[in-house]
Amino acid sequence: MERVTVVTGGGRGIGAAVAVRLGEAGHRVVLGYERDEAAAAATAARVADAGGEALAVRADVSVAADVDRLFDAARERFGPVTGLVSNAGITGGIGPFDETDTAVFRRVLDVNVYGAMLCARRAVREMSTRRGGAGGAIVHISSAAATLGSPGEYVHYAASKAAVDTLTVGLAQEFGPQGIRVNSVQPGVTLTGIHAAGGEPDRPWRVAPAVPLGRPGEPEEIAHAVAWLLSDEASYTTGAVLRVAGGR
């Protein structure tokens, strides 16, 4: 079966590493990106260099029409979608919960939760055997913050990722009988641009002493876990929340 996988937030960080790793495994990858067209194009080129094929499509996952356009482009270019890596996410900044603006709460939930729901809904419509699809797999990118709570930093973000893990478990149970596996990966502190976007680029090194392995993770280390969950080697794995956080 040809593997056609949509990766949201695929231009940079963990999403880009996942896209390249999937390219190595022979996937045809459709990269969703919100703003950075140059980064998405560079990632698409890396996927091709790794042996895969890639298409970059601008899409805000919190907008249903954008999600439909993303999946439509995937189908038109490569054929039926067989996988989704729901990676697009934001922290909304770092700071005390009681000083966080309401607009930040809403935007984080829109992207991290509503966006994940919209992408998952479209993915199951594409892949469900009940709807004529061939089945497939979804991997949500959650966060170790979902169980750590992230006090004093971004409790709102942690709460959004806990919602993603619950979404994972529910979808796995509902759509397992329709040929779809759904799992979640919880990265720990990882060397990506999300920390700079949140206002503290050096956060991975500040947090590193609390990590049993003594260092931040690399995006590629998360990508290996995602690629396994999408592979046939994980054929009996669904509803799992896989921690990749250096022991934290």
Side-chain angles (χ1 to χ4, degrees):
M1 180 177 69
E2 292 286 348
R3 296 184 184 273
V4 178
T5 304
V6 173
V7 181
T8 66
R12 297 176 293 180
I14 290 173
V18 167
V20 173
R21 178 66 185 83
L22 295 180
E24 293 172 350
H27 290 239
R28 294 174 173 178
V29 182
V30 180
L31 308 169
Y33 70 96
E34 185 185 9
R35 288 187 300 272
D36 197 337
E37 183 177 1
T43 300
R46 290 174 61 203
V47 172
D49 290 343
E53 296 181 70
L55 171 68
V57 179
R58 186 187 297 273
D60 180 341
V61 297
S62 70
V63 178
D66 280 18
V67 171
D68 284 336
R69 183 162 47 81
L70 174 62
F71 278 81
D72 288 346
R75 175 177 279 275
E76 290 168 9
R77 177 69 173 270
F78 296 130
V81 173
T82 64
L84 165 66
V85 180
S86 191
N87 167 74
I90 59 173
T91 64
I94 295 175
F97 180 81
D98 57 345
E99 296 177 10
T100 304
D101 191 80
T102 302
V104 172
F105 289 161
R106 291 189 182 281
R107 184 58 183 162
V108 168
L109 292 175
D110 275 351
V111 174
N112 296 3
V113 182
Y114 186 52
M117 289 179 174
L118 290 175
C119 289
R121 184 179 66 179
R122 179 58 193 264
V124 299
R125 288 174 175 174
E126 292 278 325
M127 298 187 289
S128 166
T129 55
R130 185 175 66 82
R131 290 175 172 264
I138 296 172
V139 178
H140 289 124
I141 304 302
S142 175
S143 172
T147 61
L148 296 173
S150 299
E153 292 190 322
Y154 33 54
V155 170
H156 54 285
Y157 169 77
S160 76
K161 291 302 187 177
V164 167
D165 289 337
T166 300
L167 176 66
T168 296
V169 173
L171 293 179
Q173 294 179 12
E174 183 169 349
F175 292 101
Q178 299 177 39
I180 303 172
R181 297 185 299 105
V182 187
N183 295 287
S184 172
V185 172
Q186 290 183 339
V189 59
T190 307
L191 293 169
T192 73
I194 199 171
H195 307 287
E200 190 180 349
D202 294 330
R203 181 179 177 273
W205 300 108
R206 173 173 64 78
V207 175
V211 178
L213 291 187
R215 62 173 177 84
E218 297 284 352
E220 292 74 17
E221 293 176 300
I222 313 304
H224 291 310
V226 174
W228 177 75
L229 286 170
L230 289 172
S231 76
D232 291 339
E233 292 180 350
S235 58
Y236 198 57
T237 303
T238 194
V241 178
L242 177 59
R243 188 84 151 204
V244 187
R248 189 163 184 245

